[in-house]
Amino acid sequence: MASSAYPTDLTDATIALLKDLIRNACVNDLTADSGQEFRNADTLERFFADAGEAGIEVRAQRFEPHPGRVSIAFTIDGTDPAAEPLTLLGHTDVVPVDEAKWTTDPFGAEEIDGRIYGRGATDMLYITAAMAAAVRDVARSGTRPRGTLTFVGCADEEARGGLGAGWLAEHAPNAFSWRNCLSEEGGSHLPVADGSDALVVVVGEKGAGQRRLTIHGDAGHGSAPHGRDLAVAKIAEVARRVAAITPDVTRDEPWPGYVRAFRFDEATEQALLDGSDYSALGKLERYSHAMSHLTIAPTVLRAGGAINVLPSTAWLELDIRPLPGQTQEDIDALLTDALGDLAEEVEITHLITEDATLSPTSGPLYEAILATFDEFFPGVPVVPTIAAGGSDLRFGRRKGGVGYGFALHNRSETLGSVLDTLHSHDESVAVEDVELTARAYRSLVGRFVG
């Protein structure tokens, strides 16, 4: 059996793998030919090269729906077909960078003052590396788990998984189990008002309700606009009305439990529960608003081409994120109501639409998460949250499984500080958090699959 040339120690191996994944620069710019995650798939194959030396077979499967867009799965079959399986969904692509805004090499994986810098360090290559290291460590232990254990390095997560987990769920649904899945993010700390601690676990994520609003007007020469029905003026009014929409705050969990976990005074707590004032949450204000509301963000505006021509068509695109239980029909009704007397003139086109997904705060995998958190931070309460963005977990939930965001951070890393790092310039992760996450995954794997 070939040697992987990676350290055998769990945490050393995780750090070495993380640095290589960053250096591979699998940048996904949302086009089919970007990403080229085959580089990280090849690295993961080398990482697992010696995993079978103790006699435990690790089955590798590669999937390439488009040239270079490779996802890869490594599976250790369990000894008991009736035991609960576990699948760890890591993604291997990263978002683009504005190199001029970085003070370090975005693909250098430099370690400076206890942090590893590089695009994807937080989102989510440190978790991907920890997952891979935990599964490799199980194989090297020489003892097969009772339940089947799989690690998947997914391509294309940053473009909503059409060439990654989404493709796998549709075209290779039986390649591994979707019954119990873990992915990004979790294990950061809440800045509780009384100074005590609380840990975050992600139990769901918002959906997608992307829309294009199109309006028509009169064509004509730019030198004679008098009396024309101006498409640009109308789309500006459409944008103003859409931006003024104020959806109701949710009354459903996990929002109320999340608010109460901060232990604010009664007046502050009530202001948060009814959505009237988020300022007490500081860095978490924007995220918390998104967690408690359907959100509508105007992001793309198009009209015209030549400066001397009145365009006859203009459109506005909206990034809309519904909460669990909110339907696409609800979104259309909200938009129509806001448009008022313009509604009959506006064509509403559905773009990407996906319902929100939510897993229960109960069951074997959730209990294993709670027990693992308690091992590392004894007695600290765990607070369920919903991710404002998307992850590959939604595909498992839609196939009837459960999925949770799981990692682990040191006490100083709050939910706000972690969220601020995602997709940022000089993205980085604390070495301590890489080590904690690797140890936490190894512990949870042992606890859940035996």
Side-chain angles (χ1 to χ4, degrees):
M1 176 69 70
S3 170
S4 74
Y6 281 93
T8 56
D9 176 76
L10 175 72
T11 57
D12 290 347
T14 303
I15 291 168
L17 177 59
L18 168 60
K19 291 179 177 180
D20 283 349
L21 296 177
I22 292 172
R23 290 169 183 142
N24 283 335
C26 295
V27 177
N28 186 347
D29 66 9
L30 311 189
T31 63
D33 292 329
S34 66
Q36 297 301 297
E37 295 91 341
F38 77 89
R39 295 192 290 270
N40 275 339
D42 291 349
T43 292
L44 288 165
E45 280 194 327
R46 290 192 295 273
F47 183 76
F48 277 93
D50 62 358
E53 287 185 348
I56 304 300
E57 181 185 4
V58 181
R59 292 187 290 108
Q61 303 172 84
R62 288 176 71 107
F63 310 90
E64 191 171 7
H66 186 84
R69 308 308 299 272
V70 178
S71 297
I72 189 165
F74 300 89
T75 298
I76 303 173
D77 291 324
T79 59
D80 181 359
E84 291 283 346
L86 179 62
T87 299
L88 311 179
L89 296 171
H91 72 76
T92 58
D93 61 326
V94 302
V95 297
V97 300
D98 183 349
E99 292 197 40
K101 302 286 180 62
W102 283 63
T103 62
T104 63
D105 178 353
F107 303 107
E110 298 175 61
E111 189 171 332
I112 304 169
D113 296 331
R115 299 189 70 87
I116 297 170
Y117 286 80
R119 175 56 87 218
T122 298
D123 184 15
M124 64 171 285
L125 296 181
Y126 85 100
I127 304 176
T128 299
M131 291 172 165
V135 173
R136 175 179 180 253
D137 198 62
V138 170
R140 292 180 59 85
S141 74
T143 302
R144 283 174 60 194
R146 285 186 300 104
T148 295
L149 175 64
T150 301
F151 159 70
V152 190
C154 297
D156 202 38
E157 190 275 344
E158 297 293 356
R160 300 194 70 83
L163 296 173
W167 186 92
L168 291 167
E170 181 178 357
H171 297 282
N174 300 316
F176 50 84
S177 173
W178 298 90
R179 181 178 174 87
N180 300 290
C181 296
L182 297 174
S183 191
E184 58 186 340
E185 170 65 70
S188 55
H189 302 258
L190 290 184
V192 182
D194 64 7
S196 61
D197 195 8
L199 282 161
V200 166
V201 61
V202 181
V203 300
E205 61 194 65
K206 299 178 78 176
Q210 295 180 357
R211 296 292 190 273
R212 178 182 294 130
L213 307 186
T214 304
I215 200 155
H216 301 280
D218 295 335
H221 200 285
S223 65
H226 179 69
R228 300 287 192 185
D229 186 17
L230 300 176
V232 169
K234 287 200 293 186
I235 202 66
E237 176 60 14
V238 167
R240 187 195 67 79
R241 295 185 186 188
V242 167
I245 296 174
T246 54
D248 293 335
V249 65
T250 183
R251 305 296 178 185
D252 297 334
E253 293 291 351
W255 174 244
Y258 169 82
V259 170
R260 295 188 177 104
F262 284 90
R263 302 185 182 182
F264 289 122
D265 61 85
E266 185 176 348
T268 301
E269 182 177 288
Q270 190 55 49
L272 287 166
L273 290 173
D274 63 24
S276 61
D277 186 0
Y278 289 79
S279 60
L281 292 167
K283 283 187 174 183
L284 286 171
E285 180 175 357
R286 187 172 291 111
Y287 160 76
S288 300
H289 179 276
M291 179 182 167
S292 60
H293 290 79
L294 178 145
T295 55
I296 303 175
T299 53
V300 178
L301 184 63
R302 293 283 187 271
I307 197 169
N308 63 343
V309 177
L310 299 175
S312 60
T313 303
W315 70 89
L316 173 69
E317 291 183 348
L318 307 172
D319 184 0
I320 302 176
R321 306 292 177 114
L323 289 164
Q326 295 174 334
T327 67
Q328 301 300 322
E329 291 75 19
D330 293 335
I331 294 172
D332 287 338
L334 193 65
L335 292 172
T336 300
D337 183 63
L339 291 170
D341 60 349
L342 281 174
E344 292 187 0
E345 298 186 59
V346 178
E347 299 169 6
I348 300 178
T349 304
H350 289 210
L351 303 177
I352 294 176
T353 59
E354 297 180 301
D355 290 339
T357 61
L358 190 67
S359 294
T361 53
S362 61
L365 183 53
Y366 190 77
E367 295 301 322
I369 290 171
L370 296 184
T372 304
F373 278 156
D374 192 63
E375 174 188 343
F376 289 86
F377 292 93
V380 172
V382 177
V383 182
T385 63
I386 292 178
S391 79
D392 287 334
L393 289 171
R394 68 188 185 280
F395 300 111
R397 295 191 189 106
R398 287 180 190 145
K399 296 183 77 64
V402 297
Y404 301 97
F406 178 78
L408 198 59
H409 295 270
N410 70 81
R411 180 68 172 85
S412 67
E413 288 284 7
T414 66
L415 176 58
S417 67
V418 172
L419 292 175
D420 280 351
T421 305
L422 301 179
H423 296 190
S424 66
H425 306 311
D426 286 339
E427 181 180 352
S428 68
V429 64
V431 172
E432 182 181 358
D433 291 350
V434 181
E435 295 171 344
L436 274 171
T437 298
R439 290 165 51 210
Y441 262 99
R442 184 62 181 92
S443 177
L444 189 149
V445 164
R447 179 174 282 111
F448 188 74
V449 297

